[in-house]
Amino acid sequence: MNRTGIAALLGLAALSPVAGAAPAGPDRTVFGTTADGQAVDRYVLRNAHGTRVGVLTLGGVIDEISVPDRSGHRANVVLALPDVAGYEASPTVGAVIGRYANRISHGGFSIDGVHYPLSPDPTAIVSHGGKKGFGAQVWKAEPCRTAGCASLTLRYHSADGENGFPGAMDVAVTYTLTADDAVRLDYVATTSKPTVVNLTNHSYFNLGGDRIGSVDDQWIQIVASRFTAVDAVRNATGEIRPVAGTALDLRALTRIGARVASNDPQILLGNGFDHNFVLDKPAGDPIPVGARAYDPGSGRTLEMRTTQPGVQFYTGNFFNGKQAARGGRMLRQGAGFALETQHYPDSPNQPAFPTTILRPGETFRSTTIFRFGVRR
């Protein structure tokens, strides 16, 4: 069977081979075309174990991480949408989020006494960089060209004033699949004017496989003794609270469904988990463990490491059964969980939080690693 036939069987009917693609490095196929006529490509990274990672040039979306379970059966452990139109309608699913992941309150922020409105409404909360953030953009791809390599760099130039943010910003995200089944994301950004930056990836994980209905029976551990509290509109209040004695104490492996159903006031405000955890950072480890997850049914495990100070743990609380995933099933609450490594929400308006200001001549860098394994 040829490649197009295989793609159709996998539910990737929109894919077609790109003529003249280089034989070395990641495979490239055409995924589709945006509503405004831009071509979207899909790259696949592979390692010697047969692990696969799919990345779209639209939004830097990760649409596949296929890893084995305890019996050797491979499945995609990230949620994927059917086509370009699906991603344009939901431009955060699996995508790079920027310029500012999470929320900014008061309709904007100030730097050096200059106010930058992101919305005409001064009471607005602007989420994930605004209506056409980085996840809605087509990025330029630079795949590695060495035989057997498994990395891809995506670049995007964000114009000065885009979505209200000051400074022309050049962003690069490098995706690397390692020999030990880890997906490494390296972020770099520079700016022409003082601005704020908070970059993350918004993949939804389901360690049972992307056709499994819920993550309620999967287990999570987050290496954090504190979290940033939220208010009734799920924005940061500025208060950093201990997790001890609350449903947000995930310092030991905990069944997700048991805590999502809690009557803890913070869980009720988020309709589940939608909280930034302040990661405990041991001295001497440049990329420490921030979270672990485990699926008893498949045996698959996930270890997350990051240089970032926080992680937003989100349990897909607003999937409502109206959005189709690749393969045809409808996404419902709890279809996946996100581990969005980042700075804290609303840091530009919360002086007690670590700064997210980037100035000309400085370079923003961060690294996140998702390593997959199996517990027998």
Side-chain angles (χ1 to χ4, degrees):
M1 181 178 292
N2 63 27
R3 179 189 267 174
T4 302
I6 293 171
L9 284 178
L10 293 175
L12 304 179
L15 302 184
S16 59
V18 174
D27 288 342
R28 178 166 69 107
T29 53
V30 173
F31 186 73
T33 306
T34 63
D36 62 0
Q38 297 183 77
V40 176
D41 290 338
R42 182 176 191 260
Y43 287 84
V44 177
L45 314 179
R46 294 179 174 85
N47 67 14
H49 301 157
T51 295
R52 294 165 48 99
V53 176
V55 181
L56 305 181
T57 54
L58 176 60
V61 165
I62 297 175
D63 76 336
E64 179 186 5
I65 303 177
S66 289
V67 292
D69 63 10
R70 63 167 60 91
S71 64
H73 173 71
R74 293 184 179 277
N76 184 7
V77 296
V78 292
L79 301 186
L81 302 182
D83 49 29
V84 169
Y87 284 108
E88 287 187 300
S90 300
T92 63
V93 175
V96 177
I97 305 299
R99 289 188 190 191
Y100 200 94
N102 220 308
R103 298 163 177 85
I104 294 178
S105 67
H106 303 302
F109 59 92
S110 297
I111 300 176
D112 301 333
V114 179
H115 183 67
Y116 297 98
L118 305 181
S119 167
D121 180 359
T123 67
I125 294 175
V126 178
S127 295
H128 291 334
K131 290 185 177 179
K132 282 206 67 153
F134 288 0
Q137 310 298 332
V138 176
W139 294 52
K140 179 182 178 182
E142 296 177 1
C144 64
R145 292 302 185 188
T146 305
C149 70
S151 69
L152 170 73
T153 297
L154 296 182
R155 298 185 185 276
Y156 177 67
H157 176 78
S158 176
D160 183 11
E162 183 176 273
N163 276 4
F165 289 92
M169 179 175 285
D170 288 300
V171 183
V173 183
T174 298
Y175 304 73
T176 303
L177 173 60
T178 69
D180 61 346
D181 290 346
V183 181
R184 176 175 174 136
L185 305 177
D186 290 291
Y187 303 82
V188 178
T190 58
T191 183
S192 65
K193 296 178 182 178
T195 191
V196 295
V197 61
N198 192 22
L199 304 176
T200 193
N201 174 271
H202 205 306
S203 289
Y204 288 93
F205 297 100
N206 188 324
L207 297 179
D210 61 344
R211 296 179 186 275
I212 302 300
S214 171
V215 297
D216 280 359
D217 288 330
Q218 296 175 28
W219 294 62
I220 188 74
Q221 176 188 17
I222 298 181
V223 186
S225 55
R226 298 177 297 160
F227 73 100
T228 52
V230 299
D231 60 19
V233 291
R234 304 190 307 283
N235 191 56
T237 65
E239 181 183 7
I240 297 178
R241 296 182 187 174
V243 300
T246 76
L248 286 84
D249 189 347
L250 303 175
R251 290 174 290 180
L253 275 170
T254 304
R255 181 177 168 273
I256 293 174
R259 296 297 174 83
V260 166
S262 166
N263 64 356
D264 183 292
Q266 284 287 303
I267 298 293
L268 293 175
L269 286 172
N271 197 36
F273 285 99
D274 191 6
H275 296 80
N276 170 68
F277 288 79
V278 177
L279 295 173
D280 297 336
K281 296 282 189 176
D285 190 341
I287 313 179
V289 175
R292 297 181 178 90
Y294 169 58
D295 175 41
S298 68
R300 293 188 184 96
T301 63
L302 167 61
E303 176 189 82
M304 181 276 285
R305 292 177 174 267
T306 187
T307 59
Q308 291 280 55
V311 61
Q312 187 85 5
F313 178 49
Y314 176 54
T315 46
N317 309 325
F318 295 98
F319 287 133
N320 59 10
K322 297 181 180 180
Q323 182 177 38
R326 189 174 297 166
R329 76 182 182 93
M330 307 307 289
L331 296 175
R332 292 179 171 80
Q333 184 173 10
F337 63 85
L339 293 170
E340 305 162 59
T341 58
Q342 56 188 262
H343 273 64
Y344 308 165
D346 203 29
S347 288
N349 293 308
Q350 302 290 348
F353 288 179
T355 183
T356 54
I357 294 176
L358 181 68
R359 298 182 181 276
E362 299 176 342
T363 301
F364 169 88
R365 298 182 189 274
S366 74
T367 296
T368 294
I369 300 171
F370 298 108
R371 177 171 286 107
F372 299 88
V374 174
R375 182 182 293 183
R376 302 292 177 182

